[in-house]
Every structure is written in structure tokens, then in C-alpha cells.
Amino acid sequence: MSSVDIKRFTEKLHHLRKAQNTSPKPMDTHGMILYVEGVNKSFDGFKAINDLNLYIKEGELRCIIGPNGAGKSTMMDIITGKTRPDSGTAWFGQDCNLLEMDEPAIAKAGIGRKFQKPTVFEALSVDENLELAMKAPKTVISSLFGKMTKVQKELRDHVLEITGLLNLRHAKGQILSHGQKQWLEIAMLLMQEPKLLLVDEPVTGMTRQEMEKTGELLVSLAGTHSIIVVEHDMDFVRSIARTVTVLHQGHVLSEGTISQVQSDPKVIEVYLGGS
Ligand code: ADP
Ligand code: MG
């Protein structure tokens, strides 16, 4: 949905609710694009997420780090509607109560997620992969036969350019390097015009050079997009992040610049103390 569509949609909803007098209590998300507060989630009595607070500003690029099992993926599952928390609040902007929306509705509202493992279609070209990733109601057939609108084509070309894939647009997925596949995956995500991007370990398995390029790409997307990156590579985190959140046992252990969190005794204890 474009921002114009989202605005129209929320206005329509607002109008409908007013008419039915079912307006929910207004939520003040303090201008945050993502407002997660007091969220809890247990799996068989094990608290994977424990009173989690996360506030992401519009246009921010936030890195989330934390040891294995800290709850990073579960946190992303909750934001994208894959997992329902037991309690808490989670809002996307002022109007989208994420805990009342299902996965497709959340994606449609503008939250896109890139999983760790690339899922590009190997037998299709870069261009075709992007066409398939478009969000218009379509069948595979119609999209593969060039039924893109002028605006969609412009969007695709723009996405190809910013992800550095323009020269590879006719290349099949199978000949792309690991890094190029990851960029194509980000490009496919951008075809959905998300406002908030969740990116899980984007530089795993990349060369230094590919990592640098990925960092540049994410930094260039920030501002016009809000981005949450889960990543383990500290050099990478240092090169892109303004604010880093350290998760531990489903809770925010520390938050600040990378230097601040790396010198935080609580963080040192968790990473070096083997707890
Ligand atoms: P991270 O991504 O930070 O490594 P996860 O969010 O994957 O951590 O997992 C947090 C904890 O919750 C882990 O102990 C994991 O075993 C547990 N967990 C996650 N998903 C499930 C599930 N569907 N069922 C049971 N336990 C789960
Ligand atoms: Mg994980």
C-alpha cells in the first residue's frame, strides 16, 4: 500500500468506526512507527519474551543483538503476526494495533520481513523475481507476461538501481552469488513498498566487500524506511547502527550506541560470562 493508500484506508476506517461508534481508545504511540510495550510470550511455560519494550522512530535504523535464544526471532514473529503474545501492546504507527491483525494484514499495512535464508526463484531472472514480488493482485501468468503498470515498472527499475542489481536484471537467480541473492531478496521486499523492514542476519556468509555494500544499502534505505536489523557481526553493526538494542532472555538488557552497549557491564557479563 502506498502512503496515500494507507492514509485513505485509515481515514475510511476511522470514518466507519465513528459511524458505528466503535472507535477504540486512542493510542498515543508518541510518534513512533513501532511501539511495543510490556510484551510477554511463553512456550510451554518458558518465557521466550519477558516484558519487552521496543520503540522505533520513523526512519530509524536499529540493530538488535543478543545471544542465541534471546528472543530475537520471536520478537520479529510477534511484530509480523506470526506469533501472538500472551500479553502486552504492539502498535504500528498510531492506527495499526498489530495484536488485532493477522500476518497478511500486517504485511499489507507496510511491515516487510526478510528471512535469513534467501528464497529467490532460481529459474527466474532478477526482473521476473521482482515482478513476482509485486503486491498487486495478480496471477503468476499475468505478472510474467508484462502486465506491469508504468508506475510498477518505474518502481522495479528504481529498486534494481538502489540494490545494485541493474546490470544483472536478466540474469537467472541460480547464477547469482550469495550476496547478490541477499540483495535480490531485499529488492523483492522493497517491491512491496514497506514502511518498516525487518531484516534477519543479512550479512551471514557474505564477504567483507558484500557486507560493506549491504551496509551502504541499509543506511541508504533508512530515513525513507524504518529498519530493524538482527545481526551478530559486531563490525557490521558498528558500521551501520546509531542505536543498538541488546536482547537477553526476552528482555532489553541494554540500549545505546554500540560503544555504550559494548562497555555496559551487564552486556559484558552476558557475552563473556557465559550466562
Ligand atoms: P533468537 O532468535 O534470539 O536466537 P528465539 O526467538 O528463536 O531466539 O528463541 C527464544 C527462545 O524461545 C528459545 O529458547 C527458543 O527455544 C524458544 N522458542 C522459540 N520459538 C518456540 C516455539 N515455537 N516453541 C517452543 N519454544 C520456542
Ligand atoms: Mg533467531
Side-chain angles (χ1 to χ4, degrees):
M1 227 189 272
S2 74
S3 60
V4 176
D5 288 339
I6 290 174
K7 192 156 173 280
R8 258 192 230 130
F9 176 72
T10 48
E11 275 169 6
K12 192 174 145 197
L13 255 189
H14 188 74
H15 190 76
L16 277 172
R17 283 199 173 120
K18 231 173 157 179
Q20 297 171 346
N21 201 19
T22 57
S23 231
K25 200 166 118 232
M27 178 65 196
D28 187 0
T29 57
H30 305 279
M32 298 292 159
I33 187 135
L34 184 72
Y35 186 95
V36 172
E37 201 162 69
V39 166
N40 293 285
K41 176 68 188 177
S42 293
F43 295 109
D44 307 317
F46 174 79
K47 260 188 168 283
I49 296 292
N50 185 7
D51 192 23
L52 177 68
N53 299 332
L54 185 70
Y55 312 103
I56 307 291
K57 285 194 217 106
E58 190 133 14
E60 188 179 347
L61 171 55
R62 175 77 61 95
C63 278
I64 312 256
I65 60 174
N68 268 337
K72 303 180 298 293
S73 297
T74 306
M75 176 202 75
M76 288 203 178
D77 290 345
I78 289 171
I79 295 167
T80 54
K82 193 173 170 220
T83 297
R84 281 277 169 234
D86 304 323
S87 57
T89 49
W91 285 74
F92 180 46
Q94 196 80 31
D95 301 301
C96 295
N97 182 351
L98 295 174
L99 305 189
E100 286 181 353
M101 297 160 76
D102 62 12
E103 260 187 292
I106 289 172
K108 218 171 157 187
I111 299 184
R113 181 180 192 174
K114 187 202 159 300
F115 289 91
Q116 206 176 323
K117 210 167 161 257
T119 54
V120 308
F121 293 99
E122 303 263 327
L124 299 180
S125 71
V126 167
D127 257 2
E128 288 164 340
N129 269 285
L130 292 183
E131 286 179 42
L132 278 177
M134 243 166 22
K135 63 175 171 186
K138 51 152 175 40
T139 63
V140 173
I141 304 284
S142 76
S143 72
L144 283 183
F145 280 86
K147 293 256 172 67
M148 296 177 94
T149 65
K150 192 162 170 272
V151 174
Q152 285 170 329
K153 281 184 187 156
E154 267 171 29
L155 171 68
R156 181 198 56 197
D157 291 352
H158 172 68
V159 164
L160 281 168
E161 195 167 334
I162 58 176
T163 52
L165 293 171
L166 207 48
N167 295 336
L168 289 163
R169 67 187 309 163
H170 303 301
K172 294 249 189 288
Q174 64 211 13
I175 72 140
L176 300 180
S177 72
H178 172 71
Q180 288 164 343
K181 275 184 193 162
Q182 295 282 350
W183 299 325
L184 176 53
E185 186 103 351
I186 293 174
M188 288 162 76
L189 202 56
L190 292 173
M191 291 302 289
Q192 305 275 328
E193 298 176 82
K195 294 165 82 180
L196 171 65
L197 283 116
L198 308 182
V199 189
D200 209 350
E201 300 194 18
V203 298
T204 305
M206 280 189 181
T207 64
R208 280 282 135 192
Q209 221 177 2
E210 287 175 331
M211 262 164 88
E212 244 169 63
K213 239 182 117 177
T214 306
E216 281 166 20
L217 171 59
L218 292 175
V219 168
S220 76
L221 291 172
T224 49
H225 302 77
S226 310
I227 311 174
I228 299 178
V229 181
V230 166
E231 185 50 65
H232 290 291
D233 190 289
M234 284 299 165
D235 291 339
F236 181 74
V237 170
R238 186 179 289 281
S239 73
I240 64 164
R242 283 82 169 162
T243 307
V244 178
T245 298
V246 185
L247 269 197
H248 179 54
Q249 296 175 345
H251 190 76
V252 174
L253 183 70
S254 186
E255 208 162 74
T257 64
I258 182 85
S259 306
Q260 280 167 345
V261 301
Q262 278 189 321
S263 58
D264 183 337
K266 294 191 301 278
V267 176
I268 294 168
E269 158 111 33
V270 162
Y271 274 93
L272 303 174
S275 85

